[in-house]
């Protein structure tokens, strides 16, 4: 797994993670509490996409398994002593997520980071997803030289804490995140999509409802017609009845995953979408993954969490040109 390190704004990364999960927390009646150390460096150097993925995975897990009260995200940090620094990393970003959910049984703690692990299958049969979030988080942290710790009381809640080594790009304090976010939104021009395509018809396939909601929300202003399928079998049924310009399909789905779904689709001679451009959606964008997806019949892939600009560029690349009307993305 390769890391791409860049300089990024600390507040922006944290804010993006909270924004992504806040709607789902609101829908469940949960309070999303944010506590950030104002003295955090305003800019860090690291793989911001992976940092977002780690925080988002832990927040998603907390919201999934919490039915009442709150989920609290706390972000602090500490300088790494010179004698303990590796690869020039001089700062440790400390992130903890505490929930008031079902908690984890002591005997299940050792299986938390195993692929497809579900803490209490009897209680959690209704929970969406494949159970890969924590194992991917652990893998990312191992590659980044970080660590993860878990404390839990069954029936009362859990707290996941991660340590992510980074480098300081700008030591000036980040300041109050909430005030900064409000100020940014006030001074920012209204964002508009880079294109519209009201005649385009696309299908998004993902077993996680919130992922589908976020995906369609990102593309809402493009005016495209977007259908949703909650799994591979439903997607196959829908593709037999409706011709789509693009299909965006999650890889890791229960029962029928994205690769097997596409394989069956390509084998259906009478299916109107037999040759429709299909983009894989994956939370595990490791080096060389593009070749695997292309060999499996996908035209391309997008890493989760999906970034709006990359999503728009991908859609434009595969939509018929006659359906696309480009526009200034920051027009008044």
């Amino acid at each position: 797994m390769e890391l791409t390190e860049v300089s990024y704004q600390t507040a922006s990364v944290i804010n993006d993670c909270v924004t992504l999960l806040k709607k789902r927390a609101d829908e469940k009646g949960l309070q999303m509490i944010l506590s950030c150390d104002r003295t955090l460096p305003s800019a860090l150097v690291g793989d911001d996409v992976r940092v977002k993925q780690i925080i988002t995975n832990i927040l998603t897990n907390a919201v999934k398994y919490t039915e009442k009260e709150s989920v609290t995200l706390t972000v602090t940090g500490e300088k790494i002593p010179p004698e303990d620094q590796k690869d020039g990393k001089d700062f440790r970003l400390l992130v903890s997520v505490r929930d008031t959910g079902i908690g984890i049984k002591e005997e299940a703690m050792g299986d938390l980071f195993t692929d497809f692990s579900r803490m209490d299958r009897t209680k959690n049969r209704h929970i969406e997803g494949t159970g890969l979030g924590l194992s991917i988080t652990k893998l990312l942290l191992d590659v980044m030289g970080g660590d993860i710790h878990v404390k839990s009381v069954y029936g009362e809640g859990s707290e996941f804490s991660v340590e992510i080594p980074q480098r300081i790009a700008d030591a000036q304090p980040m300041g109050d995140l909430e005030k900064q976010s409000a100020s940014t939104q006030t001074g920012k021009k209204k964002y508009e999509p880079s294109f519209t395509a009201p005649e385009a018809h696309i299908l998004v396939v993902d077993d996680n409802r919130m992922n589908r909601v976020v995906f369609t929300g990102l593309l809402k202003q493009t005016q495209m017609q977007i259908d949703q399928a909650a799994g591979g079998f439903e997607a196959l049924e829908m593709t037999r009845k409706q011709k789509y310009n693009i299909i965006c399909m999650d890889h890791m789905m229960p029962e029928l995953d994205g690769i097997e779904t596409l394989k069956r689709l390509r084998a259906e001679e009478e299916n109107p979408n037999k040759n429709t451009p299909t983009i894989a959606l994956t939370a595990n964008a490791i080096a060389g993954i593009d070749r695997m997806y292309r060999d499996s019949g996908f035209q391309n892939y997008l890493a989760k969490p999906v970034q709006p600009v990359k999503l728009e560029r991908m859609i434009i690349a595969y939509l018929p040109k006659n359906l696309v009307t480009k526009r200034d993305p920051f027009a008044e």
Side-chain angles (χ1 to χ4, degrees):
M1 183 175 290
E2 296 179 355
L3 300 177
T4 303
E5 296 192 341
V6 298
S7 176
Y8 64 87
Q9 296 299 306
T10 311
S12 177
V13 165
I14 298 170
N15 188 61
D16 286 352
C17 296
V18 173
T19 301
L20 188 64
L21 269 299
K22 191 175 187 312
K23 182 175 181 180
R24 186 168 186 178
D26 289 345
E27 288 177 347
K28 296 184 71 174
L30 301 175
Q31 184 180 9
M32 180 76 82
I33 302 171
L34 175 61
S35 176
C36 285
D37 184 350
R38 299 184 182 189
T39 66
L40 280 170
S42 60
L44 296 171
V45 174
D47 192 325
D48 60 326
V49 174
R50 300 302 192 184
V51 172
K52 284 184 186 179
Q53 194 172 357
I54 289 168
I55 299 174
T56 301
N57 281 350
I58 299 174
L59 276 174
T60 299
N61 207 59
V63 173
K64 274 185 182 180
Y65 292 99
T66 304
E67 296 301 325
K68 59 181 181 179
E69 297 186 29
S70 63
V71 171
T72 302
L73 171 65
T74 302
V75 186
T76 60
E78 61 185 14
K79 290 186 177 180
I80 301 175
E83 62 271 19
D84 295 331
Q85 292 180 15
K86 295 180 180 179
D87 301 322
K89 294 178 179 177
D90 56 359
F91 188 79
R92 190 178 287 113
L93 189 65
L94 305 174
V95 181
S96 77
V97 176
R98 187 176 72 252
D99 64 60
T100 55
I102 62 171
I104 305 165
K105 291 181 178 178
E106 187 173 348
E107 60 268 27
M109 294 286 276
D111 297 325
L112 276 180
F113 304 106
T114 304
D115 289 359
F116 303 100
S117 172
R118 281 282 170 77
M119 276 72 85
D120 190 330
R121 293 180 182 276
T122 302
K123 279 191 175 184
N124 301 316
R125 292 175 63 190
H126 65 289
I127 298 294
E128 296 175 321
T130 58
L132 278 169
L134 288 179
S135 68
I136 291 174
T137 299
K138 180 66 166 62
L139 173 62
L140 289 171
L141 285 165
D142 286 346
V143 173
M144 299 170 82
D147 204 357
I148 184 167
H149 307 279
V150 186
K151 294 188 295 185
S152 184
V153 177
Y154 188 65
E156 296 183 15
S158 306
E159 181 175 5
F160 287 78
S161 302
V162 298
E163 303 173 5
I164 311 174
Q166 303 283 269
R167 295 200 306 276
I168 297 175
D170 187 344
Q172 183 173 345
M174 177 183 72
D176 190 304
L177 178 58
E178 291 187 14
K179 287 183 178 180
Q180 185 175 335
S181 178
S183 175
T184 300
Q185 291 301 319
T186 301
K188 189 194 277 188
K189 292 183 179 180
K190 182 181 177 182
Y191 176 77
E192 296 290 343
S194 60
F195 74 98
T196 56
E199 300 302 317
H201 210 153
I202 71 174
L203 173 66
V204 57
V205 188
D206 198 310
D207 64 299
N208 189 302
R209 187 181 67 84
M210 192 60 202
N211 287 346
R212 300 194 303 271
V213 170
V214 170
F215 184 95
T216 54
L218 291 175
L219 293 175
K220 182 178 180 180
Q221 293 186 67
T222 66
Q223 302 175 28
M224 291 190 299
Q225 303 171 58
I226 305 174
D227 290 344
Q228 301 180 29
F233 290 112
E234 183 179 3
L236 288 172
E237 189 63 30
M238 293 175 72
T239 59
R240 294 169 188 139
K241 300 175 181 177
Q242 170 69 49
K243 172 66 175 127
Y244 294 100
N245 299 111
I246 297 175
I247 299 172
C248 295
M249 181 143 36
D250 183 32
H251 177 187
M252 303 304 293
M253 297 186 292
E255 296 185 345
L256 201 63
D257 71 14
I259 290 178
E260 180 61 27
T261 301
L262 184 60
K263 180 180 177 181
R264 296 191 185 192
L265 172 61
R266 299 292 192 233
E268 293 186 3
E269 293 297 334
E270 301 301 320
N271 194 308
N273 293 282
K274 174 179 169 60
N275 298 310
T276 296
T278 304
I279 299 165
L281 305 176
T282 178
N284 195 17
I286 61 176
I289 200 75
D290 55 339
R291 174 174 292 182
M292 185 201 79
Y293 283 127
R294 291 183 190 280
D295 290 345
S296 299
F298 290 91
Q299 273 62 50
N300 217 319
Y301 79 95
L302 278 170
K304 295 181 182 180
V306 175
Q307 299 180 47
V309 173
K310 289 186 177 180
L311 175 59
E312 287 191 8
R313 288 174 181 169
M314 188 75 72
I315 295 296
I316 289 176
Y318 292 100
L319 274 182
K321 303 305 179 188
N322 63 308
L323 298 182
V324 177
T325 300
K326 293 188 178 182
R327 56 187 300 179
D328 180 357
F330 293 98
E332 291 287 357

